[in-house]
Amino acid sequence: MTEQLKRPLPVRVRRQPDGIPMDDLFRSRPAKPTPPLPRRPPPAEPDLVERPGPAVSGWWAVLTGLAALGGIAAALRPALPPHGAELPLRAWATAAGCVVVAVVSFGGLTRGRTGSAWVLSLFGRYRGSVRRTGLVWISPFVLRRRTDVRLRHWRSEPIAVVDAEGSALRVVVLVVWSVRDTARALLAVDDHLGYLREQVEAAVARVVSQLPADAFRGDGPTLRDAEAVGDALTRMLAAECRAVGIAVFSAQPTRVEYAPEVAAAMRRRQIAVLDARHRDSVLTGVIDAVDDTVTRLTSRGLVDLDDFERQALVKDLTVAFYTRQGGAAPQNQE
């Protein structure tokens, strides 16, 4: 009597609502790319904006000082020989007041230069900027700091960066800039010249890393397009330096070259790519010439060729035309 085969009971896997499914432990899910956060330039302090400072023409101060000296002489004249009279308290007060006026008048005289400005502050508070030239009177009780507002240019040292393909480069940049807001340039940052240099290095690294130095794998934008790279650098630097009162007018790469440790290898790669492009263009022209020759011969009925003869004719014409173009004859590979 044969025993009936018992059917195996189905195994049911119950998923706990608070557990981790077993089939999800080893499932490879592609990670979702995190979109890059938009880069924002540093904010500018709204209250720190250049405004005209208290200053007047220096000639008015000279006249006021001379008048004060005259008042001192008039107040002290009765006490001088041959009079020798005793001065009343009012005369001494008048002379002292004239002395103070003369000291303040002559002590505040300064010279305003073309292309420079005075930044005034009192007890750590910004009081204004003076861009006047010539003889100028500024209160001697305020702190004065001179800054250069002329159009200036700065040529960087070779900056070590990496392009989009990971090749080490050395880039030299010429920056044309000037101080637009003297208050922010001196008070919003510790050293605006150092800030500009650091921002140039950061901007060059960001722009260069987006493009390759040379298009080895096809035609496309490269770092050899100095105009496009310069426009990107200028926009980036202008946005970054606006908060410290610096206006960037131009930032152009004057030299883009490979680092010494990879220069020889990249030069060989460039020569190989140029040679391959030359061979490809020559071969394309030879093939077109052979096709045109065979088509003309057969269409006009000058020759009647079978497949073997056509292949032999194409081979001979290809070798002849390619050798004439200056290339080496292709090898017959079987």
Side-chain angles (χ1 to χ4, degrees):
M1 183 175 181
T2 60
E3 295 182 358
Q4 296 181 355
L5 297 177
K6 296 182 179 180
R7 298 178 59 186
L9 296 177
V11 179
R12 297 181 180 179
V13 179
R14 296 182 180 179
R15 296 186 178 183
Q16 300 295 333
D18 55 348
I20 301 177
M22 296 298 297
D23 55 295
D24 290 343
L25 288 178
F26 305 100
R27 181 179 298 177
S28 59
R29 295 182 179 178
K32 296 182 179 179
T34 304
L37 296 177
R39 181 174 178 83
R40 299 179 180 178
E45 188 175 351
D47 298 334
L48 190 60
V49 181
E50 180 180 340
R51 59 179 182 270
V56 296
S57 174
W59 297 110
W60 291 104
V62 171
L63 294 178
T64 303
L66 293 177
L69 293 178
I72 294 173
L76 298 180
R77 183 177 181 181
L80 297 176
H83 304 286
E86 184 178 356
L87 293 177
L89 184 61
R90 179 180 299 177
W92 286 109
T94 302
C98 291
V99 169
V100 172
V101 172
V103 170
V104 172
S105 299
F106 291 113
L109 289 176
T110 185
R111 182 181 60 177
R113 301 176 183 175
T114 302
S116 65
W118 289 104
V119 178
L120 311 180
S121 60
L122 181 62
F123 300 112
R125 185 179 180 183
Y126 174 64
R127 303 298 299 175
S129 300
V130 179
R131 291 178 178 258
R132 302 183 62 167
T133 58
L135 191 61
V136 183
W137 181 86
I138 301 175
S139 174
F141 302 105
V142 298
L143 178 62
R144 295 175 284 185
R145 286 189 290 179
R146 188 187 295 273
T147 180
D148 194 345
V149 295
R150 294 175 296 180
L151 187 66
R152 305 171 67 180
H153 67 278
W154 174 68
R155 183 185 179 91
S156 70
E157 297 294 331
I159 303 173
V161 291
V162 178
D163 67 352
E165 295 183 351
S167 301
L169 302 176
R170 296 293 185 269
V171 181
V172 178
V173 183
L174 178 65
V175 183
V176 180
W177 62 282
S178 68
V179 174
R180 179 68 58 85
D181 193 311
T182 57
R184 291 178 177 176
L186 289 186
L187 303 178
V189 67
D190 185 27
D191 181 12
H192 63 280
L193 294 178
Y195 180 87
L196 176 63
R197 295 189 182 98
E198 297 294 336
Q199 289 298 330
V200 168
E201 294 184 5
V204 169
R206 289 169 56 190
V207 172
V208 170
S209 63
Q210 299 176 3
L211 295 174
D214 294 290
F216 294 113
R217 301 179 180 178
D219 296 333
T222 64
L223 297 177
R224 304 303 177 183
D225 189 356
E227 185 175 357
V229 176
D231 291 343
L233 278 175
T234 303
R235 291 193 302 268
M236 191 174 298
L237 280 177
E240 295 290 340
C241 297
R242 190 176 296 112
V244 296
I246 295 178
V248 178
F249 302 101
S250 174
Q252 297 293 330
T254 59
R255 188 174 64 190
V256 179
E257 59 185 12
Y258 290 101
E261 57 270 17
V262 299
M266 289 301 172
R267 191 176 298 110
R268 290 193 298 268
R269 187 178 179 183
Q270 288 177 348
I271 294 174
V273 170
L274 293 176
D275 184 66
R277 290 179 180 176
H278 173 70
R279 289 176 179 272
D280 183 69
S281 61
V282 170
L283 186 58
T284 302
V286 168
I287 292 175
D288 293 340
V290 170
D291 180 59
D292 183 64
T293 303
V294 175
T295 303
R296 289 185 178 184
L297 290 175
T298 55
S299 62
R300 296 182 181 182
L302 297 178
V303 292
D304 188 10
L305 304 173
D306 55 11
D307 294 340
F308 180 78
E309 293 174 344
R310 181 185 295 271
Q311 293 178 3
L313 179 61
V314 169
K315 178 182 177 180
D316 295 339
L317 291 176
T318 302
V319 172
F321 290 164
Y322 195 79
T323 306
R324 184 178 180 182
Q325 292 292 334
Q331 300 292 334
N332 184 17
Q333 298 180 358
E334 296 181 356

